[in-house]
Amino acid sequence: MVSVRTNWAGSHTYEATDVVTPASVTEVQELIAASPRIRALGSRHSFTDLADTPGVQVSLEGLPATVEVIGDVVRVPAGLRYGDLATELVPRGLALANLASLPHISVAGAVATGTHGSGRRNQSLAGAVRGMELVTGTGELVRLTGAELTGAVVAMGTLGIVTSLDLAVEPAFELTQVVYEGLSWTALLDRLDEVLSCAYSVSVFTPWVGEDVGQVWVKARTSTGSVTGEPVEVLVDAGAHVATEQRHMIAGMAVENTTPQLGVAGPWHERLPHFRMGFLPSAGEELQTEYLVPMSRAAEALGAVRALGEAMHEVLFVTELRTIAADDLWLSGAYGEDAIALHFTWHRDPLRVQPLVDRLEEVLLPLGARPHWGKVFRAHADALAPLYPRWSDFLDLAARLDPEGRFRNAWTERHLGI
Ligand SMILES: Cc1cc2nc3c(=O)[nH]c(=O)nc-3n(C[C@H](O)[C@H](O)[C@H](O)COP(=O)(O)OP(=O)(O)OC[C@H]3O[C@@H](n4cnc5c(N)ncnc54)[C@H](O)[C@@H]3O)c2cc1C
């Protein structure tokens, strides 16, 4: 038994009485049967009370870490972190289509919250799920497929404890990473979709203030494994230039923490994340907020948030803009429509962050924005329900798989109404 008391950011102290680490799926089943209130805990990277419970938290780090390739999927123990999964896949010549900004997060926790990387044609990490093994609130071990699976993948731990996930894999590939600077807001807004689709994965980092956008991180797939000097036409045409030294997206932070840039090709797992496995991801003492806005409303969303730039300036480390391809996962932020994600890395100052989150929601929710479930947001269930066409189907699924409400907590009550 271990005692982990706060989330990664140190912004939430867990009230759970214990963190238990079962060594087998049978032990998970026994724990659920014995616990009126229980929640799965991943790598603790969510920013709120999401993973908390008045009962016990269950870490799956003690389950056997065996990774099994079955045809075109890989069966992954739920508690494994993406970085560790990558070290299993690389010797087998396999890759995942995409990764988040950091490799430190657990697969099950990332999938449960709709965590994503970037790419106009890349779905969220949850989009790679092809099967799921789950211990439900009745203690039953089930393998979900079909419609139930699409309902259960992004479920924030409300349906049960996921013990393994089947993820789509593909042959290993290489990418280059190049940072561009000097792009103006005028050029970005004029050619937004062209910029965001100029490579396999594109992230725009901005402080919102000033006429200069900030940085554009371009991750391009290559088959050559060499240094590539190919300039990205749309960015060069728009007046941007290539950074000739390694960059961090937050001024003054250690560049050693970031994955190699400067156009040197490298394997997928060392280029898709922004941060290296052995180093601190992002700023450290921070909070994060993110909204996924339908791509069709991107220009309006950017305009509305830019108008808040000065108000956010002192509390914001940086914003990242990414894209996520549409999926059919019921509570996914990209359900039914391609999305642009507007992410905010804040100073860890909740009293100053909260009013800004309120102002963001005032302008973004009317555009159909859906919050990242793992980050700081305010909207309650009544405001969120209309944004998800399958909301009531999800609540029915939750009632069936967790009839006694073992996996519910204060967060699910506020934001899901269960
Ligand atoms: C520095 C930093 C960078 C980040 N970068 C990104 C990014 O690039 N893209 C992005 O989209 N998000 C990003 N996030 C957010 C992060 O991916 C999510 O918060 C995600 O939930 C983290 O996974 P976790 O395992 O740490 O989750 P936890 O906080 O441990 O848990 C989150 C939720 O998952 C549930 N869960 C965990 N394991 C299981 C299981 N086995 N069965 C059922 N439910 C389970 C928990 O019950 C809880 O509801 C970042 C966060 C940080 C701190």
Side-chain angles (χ1 to χ4, degrees), residues 18 251 263 385:
D18 270 325

Side-chain angles (χ1 to χ4, degrees), residues 40 42-46 101 106 109 113 115-116 156 162 322 372:
S43 52
R44 302 180 294 113
H45 283 78
S46 58
S101 68
S106 84
T113 53
T115 290
H116 58 88
M156 289 79 71
V162 177
R322 286 177 280 188
H372 188 308

Side-chain angles (χ1 to χ4, degrees), residues 10 37 55 72 83 103 126 164 190 193 207 235 258 281 303 306 325 339 353 370 374 389:
R37 288 300 174 116
D72 55 358
S164 77
D190 277 355
D193 209 12
L235 290 170
T258 55
R306 216 176 148 214
V353 167
R370 298 163 175 156

Side-chain angles (χ1 to χ4, degrees), residues 7-9 14 39-47 50-52 58 60 78-79 99-102 104-117 134 155-158 160-163 274-275 281-283 286 288 290 320 322 343 372-375:
N7 62 350
W8 173 87
Y14 296 120
R39 290 285 278 172
L41 182 67
S43 52
R44 302 180 294 113
H45 283 78
S46 58
F47 286 87
L50 170 65
D52 209 348
V58 180
L60 297 186
L99 291 169
S101 68
L102 73 177
H104 313 65
I105 47 175
S106 84
V107 174
V111 162
T113 53
T115 290
H116 58 88
L134 175 82
M156 289 79 71
T158 55
I161 296 185
V162 177
T163 50
H274 303 326
F275 300 104
S282 204
E286 67 188 54
Q288 296 184 9
E290 190 168 35
E320 180 177 8
R322 286 177 280 188
H343 160 97
H372 188 308
W373 297 116
K375 301 185 181 179

Side-chain angles (χ1 to χ4, degrees), residues 151-234:
V153 173
V154 180
M156 289 79 71
T158 55
L159 306 179
I161 296 185
V162 177
T163 50
S164 77
L165 287 157
D166 293 348
L167 304 181
V169 281
E170 60 185 271
F173 57 91
E174 293 207 326
L175 300 101
T176 57
Q177 181 167 233
V178 175
V179 174
Y180 284 79
E181 294 171 316
L183 183 68
S184 70
W185 268 103
T186 311
L188 176 65
L189 293 173
D190 277 355
R191 306 181 72 170
L192 184 63
D193 209 12
E194 273 180 274
V195 170
L196 294 174
S197 48
C198 75
Y200 186 70
S201 169
V202 176
S203 288
V204 176
F205 290 94
T206 183
W208 294 104
V209 291
E211 187 41 39
D212 190 328
V213 170
Q215 300 173 355
V216 184
W217 290 34
V218 176
K219 298 174 197 265
R221 277 176 80 145
T222 166
S223 50
T224 57
S226 59
V227 177
T228 63
E230 287 301 306
V232 177
E233 212 176 294
V234 59

